[in-house]
Each structure stands twice: as C-alpha cells, then as structure tokens.
C-alpha cells in the first residue's frame, strides 16, 4: 500500500512539518519518474446500480440559486452570499491557516489583504465588480475573495467524460476533486478543505430577461465556471493541466503586470455566456491566451460533437474528438495528456476507461456514467461532487460525494 500522507497537527514542531513537506515532494518526484504500471491498491471492480444516489458514497443534494445577469455585477451574488457567507468564511480561514503554516510570519496573509485587493481593478469587467460585490455581501476582505478564486486555477483535480450512445445522444459528466495537499485531517481520514467545500456547492441558473442563459455547478464565492451547460447548444467542464509552465507562472506574471492572458474560469464563464454554438465555443477555448494550462472538455448537441482540448497557456496542443466511425464513442480526461501515461500514484483514467468499455455504448446512460464515476479510485478522498449533464433542455444534476475507507487519498 502507498503510505498515507498526513498534515502535521497544529502546534507541531517545525522540523516535523518540514519533514512532512519533504515527504510530499519526494513522493511526487518518485511518481514523476515512474510509469503507471502498478495496480492501484485502492482500486475495485466497476460499480453498478449506484443510481439513484444513496448509501455511504452519497452525501446529499445541492440547492439552486438564480444569478440575475440584468442586475449590476456588484449585486448579482447578494442572495447567495446571504445564505453561504458563513461557510465561505470557514473555507477562506482554512486557506489562510495553510498559508500561515508555510509562512508563519503572517506576511502572505498581509499581502493578500492589503496588496492583492488593489489588483482587482486590473481584472476585466464584470468580474472585478462581481468580486467586490461578493466581498461587500460576505464581509470577507476583497483580497481574500480574490485568492479564493485564484485557488481554482491551480488546485483542481478532476475526471471528465463526454460520451455518445448508439442513438447519437450525448452525455457529459464529471467528478470535481479539490483540496490536494491542503490539510489532511488525521482524525477523519480526509482532506480538510475538501470536506469544508461541500456545503458551498450550488447549482447556479444564470438568467437574462427571466430566461436561462446557462447553468453551472459551482462553489459559492467563485465567479468562474468549472462545469456548465448552455441549453440545447453545448456542455463544458474544465480540468487542471499539470505543467512546469503552470498556473503559478501565469499568476506571478499577472501580479507583476503582464495581463494578456485570461483566467481559466473567466474564459469558461465567458464561453458559456456568449458562445453561440459548439464550434464557436471550441474555437474560443482553443485559441484564447490563458494564465494557466488547462483541459477543456466540450460536448455539443449533434453526433460527434465532443472533444478534449489540451491547452498550454498560449495554444491548443491537441484536440481529441469523438469519432464514432472509428470507434471513439467517448473521451475521458483526468489531469494528464492523453498521449502520456498518468502518474503511478494517480491513475484514474485507466479505471474510468475500463468501466466505460465494460458498460458498452449500447447500454450508455447518465446512470451508467454515474456508476463509472462512483468506482474507486475515480471516486476518491478529494471528490467533492459528481455532476451529470445533458445538453437537451440544459439538464444538470449534482450530488455531493463521500469515499468510504479504504479509499485513495487522490
């Protein structure tokens, strides 16, 4: 079995904390050096009959909120913040505690509160005003709201699937995994931030003139989009792409004044709001300069409209399309380039593909894909929720998840 990584408890000696960090780095380097050949010690046979959700892997449904795009940007999130500000404050405090663990002087938090807030004005409209509005409604300092949004550029670890059945019907689903290395709770055998984020998961219905423009499963307080559907046009999810030229580089460039790249979440939000077709969305996602590398997983409404766009910060490196005639009836993306093996410590791709193949195209459905996403290690300790989408009518459903022991930490 792989060793379980545990965060040093509060009050631990600095040496113990540094040793823990060193172990994390060592394991990561070892993983980078090894191909994904070893069987996952937490793996299991493909799940079946997990839908409708129930039992120990199901933690509950999520509420729905309307985001009125006709309101001034600074007021759009007021109702949501009224209900979720306490939970948001808990998560933001957790992020601050993590920062103070690595930088005990408190200077990082001071910079966030006093410096980063001023940079909000450099963000494009309406995002700058929406962030200010969330800060006003929640009572959380603006800099901390900005950092909360930045975290999703660099810490999202997910599994996304677009698949087409024999009738040409398209399905899009994902597990949203978040909180890697952000505090391990020894007592509960879970990631602290993953657990605290679950009460913040909401379904957002973005409306203009009282009509739905798009829907998104999101965290309250985050104004970008990680999962969304534009009814009768396309579905979209975003996964982080690990790269040496990663999100940290783009974010530092933004701090230092270079702002020609777009935040991933802002791009997906803009595409969901403004793109007029599957092809329009595909072009925007493939060509827009980004702050961070990413995978965009896109589904359409017609047979063959599904792809994974592998992005560097400046260009599309690969576009993997559905191709029914050649037998490609699904695409799966975790957090690794499809032409490379996943890390030996994190092979979610293989089990997901195995279970889809076992399902077969003839038996494909949203419940069948839910079974795939319920199979360990596709379901793991980082999994916050599972979202299922159909483009027709803008159907979307999301369920909070739990991964009972034994379960992979990621």
């Amino acid at each position: 079995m792989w060793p379980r990584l545990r965060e040093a408890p509060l009050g631990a000696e600095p040496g113990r904390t540094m040793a823990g960090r060193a172990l994390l780095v060592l394991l990561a380097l070892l993983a980078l050096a090894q191909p994904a050949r070893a069987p996952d010690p937490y793996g299991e046979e493909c799940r079946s009959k997990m839908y409708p959700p129930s039992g120990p892997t199901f933690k509950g449904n999520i509420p729905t909120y309307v985001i009125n795009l006709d309101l001034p940007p600074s007021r759009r999130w007021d109702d949501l913040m009224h209900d979720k500000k306490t939970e948001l404050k808990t998560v933001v405090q957790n992020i601050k505690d993590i920062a103070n663990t690595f930088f005990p002087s408190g200077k990082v938090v001071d910079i966030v509160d006093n410096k980063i807030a001023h940079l909000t004005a450099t963000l494009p409209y309406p995002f700058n005003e929406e962030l200010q509005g969330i800060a006003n409604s929640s009572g959380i300092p603006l800099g901390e709201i900005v950092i909360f949004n930045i975290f999703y550029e660099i810490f999202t670890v997910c599994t996304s699937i677009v698949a087409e059945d024999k009738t040409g019907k398209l399905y899009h689903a994902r597990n949203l995994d978040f909180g890697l290395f952000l505090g391990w709770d020894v007592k509960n055998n879970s990631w602290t931030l993953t657990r605290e984020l679950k009460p913040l998961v909401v379904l957002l219905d973005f409306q203009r003139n009282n009509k739905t423009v798009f829907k998104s499963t999101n965290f309250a307080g985050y104004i970008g989009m990680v999962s969304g559907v534009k009814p009768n046009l396309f579905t979209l999810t975003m996964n982080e792409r690990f790269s040496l030229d990663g999100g940290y580089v783009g974010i530092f460039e933004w701090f230092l004044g270079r702002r020609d790249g777009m935040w991933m979440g802002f791009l997906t939000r803009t595409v969901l709001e403004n793109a007029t077709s599957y092809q329009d969305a595909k072009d925007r996602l493939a060509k827009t300069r980004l702050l961070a590398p990413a995978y965009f997983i896109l589904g359409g409404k017609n047979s063959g409209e599904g792809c994974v766009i592998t992005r560097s910060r400046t260009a599309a490196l690969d576009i993997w399309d559905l191709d029914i005639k050649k037998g490609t009836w699904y695409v799966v993306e975790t957090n690794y380039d499809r032409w490379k093996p996943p890390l030996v410590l994190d092979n979610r791709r293989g089990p997901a593909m195995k279970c889809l193949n076992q399902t077969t195209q003839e038996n494909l459905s949203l419940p069948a894909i839910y079974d795939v996403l319920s199979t360990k290690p596709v379901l793991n300790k980082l999994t916050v929720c599972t979202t299922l989408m159909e483009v027709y009518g803008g159907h979307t459903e999301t369920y909070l998840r739990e991964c009972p022991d034994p379960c992979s930490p990621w």
Side-chain angles (χ1 to χ4, degrees), residues 4-319:
R4 289 179 177 162
L5 307 180
R6 297 187 174 183
E7 185 73 41
L10 293 177
E13 297 174 9
R16 290 176 60 195
T17 305
M18 291 302 295
R21 289 183 213 144
L23 177 59
L24 292 178
V25 173
L26 177 60
L27 286 174
L29 290 173
L30 287 173
L32 285 168
Q34 298 180 60
R37 295 195 185 104
D40 192 314
Y42 299 101
E44 62 182 6
E45 293 300 313
C46 299
R47 292 271 184 160
S48 62
K49 300 181 180 178
M50 298 292 290
Y51 189 95
S54 62
T57 68
F58 172 61
K59 289 293 289 183
N61 298 299
I62 64 171
T64 299
Y65 290 83
V66 171
I67 304 299
N68 185 354
L69 295 172
D70 294 319
L71 288 175
S74 61
R75 301 297 307 275
R76 293 172 180 172
W77 302 88
D78 286 357
D79 290 344
L80 178 56
M81 284 299 99
H82 177 271
D83 291 351
K84 294 294 184 179
K85 61 184 177 183
T86 300
E87 292 87 348
L88 181 57
K89 287 178 181 178
T90 297
V91 171
V92 169
Q93 184 60 51
N94 185 294
I95 294 172
K96 289 167 64 177
D97 290 343
I98 292 168
N100 284 328
T101 298
F102 286 89
F103 304 97
S105 67
K107 289 183 178 179
V108 170
V109 173
D110 181 65
I111 290 172
V112 167
D113 288 344
N114 297 299
K115 303 293 184 183
I116 292 181
H118 298 297
L119 293 174
T120 309
T122 69
L123 295 174
Y125 177 90
F127 307 122
N128 50 0
E129 294 188 12
E130 289 189 7
L131 290 168
Q132 182 66 66
I134 290 173
N136 294 341
S137 298
S138 66
I140 299 172
L142 177 57
E144 295 176 15
I145 294 296
V146 174
I147 288 297
F148 177 75
N149 278 261
I150 287 175
F151 259 60
Y152 297 97
E153 301 286 312
I154 53 179
F155 281 108
T156 307
V157 186
C158 305
T159 300
S160 291
I161 297 169
V162 174
E164 180 177 326
D165 71 11
K166 279 290 189 180
T167 70
K169 189 174 184 179
L170 290 157
Y171 303 97
H172 194 154
R174 70 103 48 84
N175 275 355
L176 178 57
D177 301 343
F178 191 88
L180 183 63
F181 298 152
L182 297 181
W184 182 258
D185 184 335
V186 177
K187 181 178 179 181
N188 293 298
N189 206 30
S190 64
W191 296 102
T192 303
L193 195 60
T194 303
R195 184 179 67 249
E196 292 178 350
L197 279 169
K198 292 177 185 179
L200 285 178
V201 180
V202 291
L203 176 61
L204 303 178
D205 185 347
F206 287 80
Q207 296 186 2
R208 187 175 284 118
N209 298 322
N210 295 316
K211 294 182 179 179
T212 296
V213 178
F214 67 95
K215 297 177 183 178
S216 173
T217 298
N218 231 21
F219 294 116
Y222 178 63
I223 64 172
M225 301 293 116
V226 292
S227 308
V229 54
K230 190 154 191 174
N232 304 312
L233 287 180
F234 60 86
T235 54
L236 174 61
T237 56
M238 172 183 75
N239 289 15
E240 182 186 354
R241 178 172 178 257
F242 302 127
S243 170
L244 292 176
D245 184 26
Y248 296 100
V249 177
I251 290 169
F252 279 126
E253 287 182 353
W254 179 70
F255 286 156
L256 295 173
R258 181 175 181 178
R259 302 189 178 109
D260 57 344
M262 198 168 187
W263 299 90
M264 293 189 300
F266 292 174
L267 175 58
T268 52
R269 161 93 178 263
T270 300
V271 167
L272 282 162
E273 188 169 344
N274 299 311
T276 57
S277 67
Y278 170 82
Q279 189 60 50
D280 183 22
K282 189 175 182 180
D283 290 342
R284 292 175 186 235
L285 295 168
K287 296 175 182 178
T288 304
R289 182 181 173 89
L290 299 170
L291 257 67
Y295 301 102
F296 297 118
I297 302 89
L298 183 66
K301 64 177 181 178
N302 300 313
S303 176
E305 290 186 340
C307 66
V308 176
I309 303 170
T310 301
R311 283 294 313 269
S312 70
R313 294 197 295 137
T314 58
L317 303 180
D318 179 72
I319 299 180

Side-chain angles (χ1 to χ4, degrees), residues 203-204 215-217 228-229 387-390 393-398:
L203 176 61
L204 303 178
K215 297 177 183 178
S216 173
T217 298
V229 54
T387 295
L388 309 174
M389 297 183 288
E390 289 183 39
H395 176 80
T396 181
E397 50 191 279
T398 296

